[in-house]
Amino acid sequence: MIEVQEFRAEVRQWLADNLVGEFAALKGLGGPGREHEAFDERRAWNQHLAGAGLTCLGWPEEHGGRGLTVAHRVAFYEEYALANAPDKVNHLGEELVGPTLIAYGTPEQQSRFLPRILDVTELWSQGYSEPGAGSDLANVSTTAELVGDEWVINGQKVWTSLAHWAQWVFVVARSEKGSKRHAGLSYLLVPLEQPGVEIRPIVQLTGDSEFNEVFFDDARTDASLVVGEPGDGWRVAMGTLTFERGVSTLGQQIRYARELSGIVDLAKNTGAIDDPLIREKLTRSWVGLKTMRSYALATMDVEQPGQDNVSKLLWANWHRELGEIAMDVQGKAGMLLAGGEFDEWQRLYLFSRSDTIYGGSNEIQRNIIAERVLGLPREAKGA
């Protein structure tokens, strides 16, 4: 296997050689809150990456990946972020569905879906949250009934990222009548391009729509497209979540560092840097970023209960506060629209309000840490 530093140099050189021409214009585009930016062009870039063997790096070689270690993948994401390469469009397939199918899927499911994730010809979305089951996944009410050789699905999912661009969605649905909470759930692979599916984009504070509502009205998928056993969906869904906050977080932190550096430059230009309170906030933000990196590196190669929840709390709160600092630095100018468009810092502020909600709210993360890690009593439920 190639040495980590050699691989890092290889990735750095490849990005320098390939982020040119039409691809150079994509630098810095995409990511949470900005998924609408040059989506088709970023997909072409993602396919270009795939052609160079730079997708699905941690997948086993027998499934088309390169079988690289966590350290190699960290090196890739760090170099990718340092190059300011455009955000990939295939994150859900590459980092969530693919590893889930490798861990829990049948050989038939693996041969059907993994190659199309690998080469970015099929995109995926996540069908977990519902209007009455946001962070509380066990409370889902979407149903799936096995009728002949098909699952018939009815219900609603919400906050379904990128569903309007995806061809498939992985859905957690209640497949056993009368079941409650974690029991009786199934993990289904469902095609989105069918008459029984309606996708409605949700307009965000930023005016964009990367999240969606998805309605299933007798939507169908093949009986063989249940991952794991019917009724065992909770275990598979939890397995997917363990892949969600992986090595890409270190690349994310480099992007955060770029944002912080930009706000520091803005503060110098506006004179806000002379305000002792602003300086203190910027310093605390820098310290918080270093803390996140130290925690990520310390826990990358080990699996401990609650570490993903701690990581989510760290970056979500830090990034939301960074958006607030950006507004403090801009002052009155942050309240105005230039040319009717949000600027970079206004967009950061508005979208980062959601960081502490999506992917599991702060309250849910703290409850998990308290109950499953510290062994504290369960939170009292209201009458």
Side-chain angles (χ1 to χ4, degrees), residues 12 57 60 148 273 312 316 325:
R12 184 185 303 129
L57 299 174
I273 197 71
K312 172 61 166 61
I325 294 171

Side-chain angles (χ1 to χ4, degrees), residues 215-288:
F215 297 86
F216 300 98
D217 184 8
D218 285 342
R220 296 172 181 267
T221 196
D222 193 88
S224 65
L225 295 185
V226 55
V227 182
E229 295 297 324
D232 194 30
W234 178 260
R235 182 175 68 92
V236 180
M238 291 301 100
T240 298
L241 290 178
T242 65
F243 302 123
E244 184 170 18
R245 302 180 189 114
V247 296
S248 60
T249 185
L250 285 162
Q252 176 192 57
Q253 289 169 22
I254 289 175
R255 293 186 176 90
Y256 286 171
R258 186 178 291 119
E259 290 177 340
L260 175 59
S261 178
I263 294 172
V264 170
D265 289 341
L266 179 66
K268 292 177 179 177
N269 292 334
T270 63
I273 197 71
D274 297 327
D275 184 331
L277 183 58
I278 294 290
R279 288 202 306 273
E280 179 183 354
K281 289 182 177 180
L282 290 170
T283 302
R284 287 181 179 275
S285 188
W286 181 86
V287 171

Side-chain angles (χ1 to χ4, degrees), residues 314-336:
L314 285 173
W315 71 253
N317 286 289
W318 183 91
H319 202 227
R320 184 182 65 180
E321 290 167 5
L322 186 69
E324 295 170 354
I325 294 171
M327 290 298 95
D328 290 340
V329 168
Q330 282 195 310
K332 293 179 180 179
M335 303 298 291
L336 302 175

Side-chain angles (χ1 to χ4, degrees), residues 26-46:
L26 302 180
K27 286 186 177 182
L29 298 185
R34 301 170 59 189
E35 293 290 1
H36 63 286
E37 295 177 335
F39 190 88
D40 291 335
E41 292 83 356
R42 288 192 294 118
R43 182 174 186 174
W45 163 256
N46 209 158

Side-chain angles (χ1 to χ4, degrees), residues 153-173:
I153 304 157
N154 286 280
Q156 177 187 358
K157 296 293 181 178
V158 73
W159 309 119
T160 313
S161 301
L162 310 185
H164 52 315
W165 282 304
Q167 289 74 53
W168 289 84
V169 59
F170 52 102
V171 174
V172 175

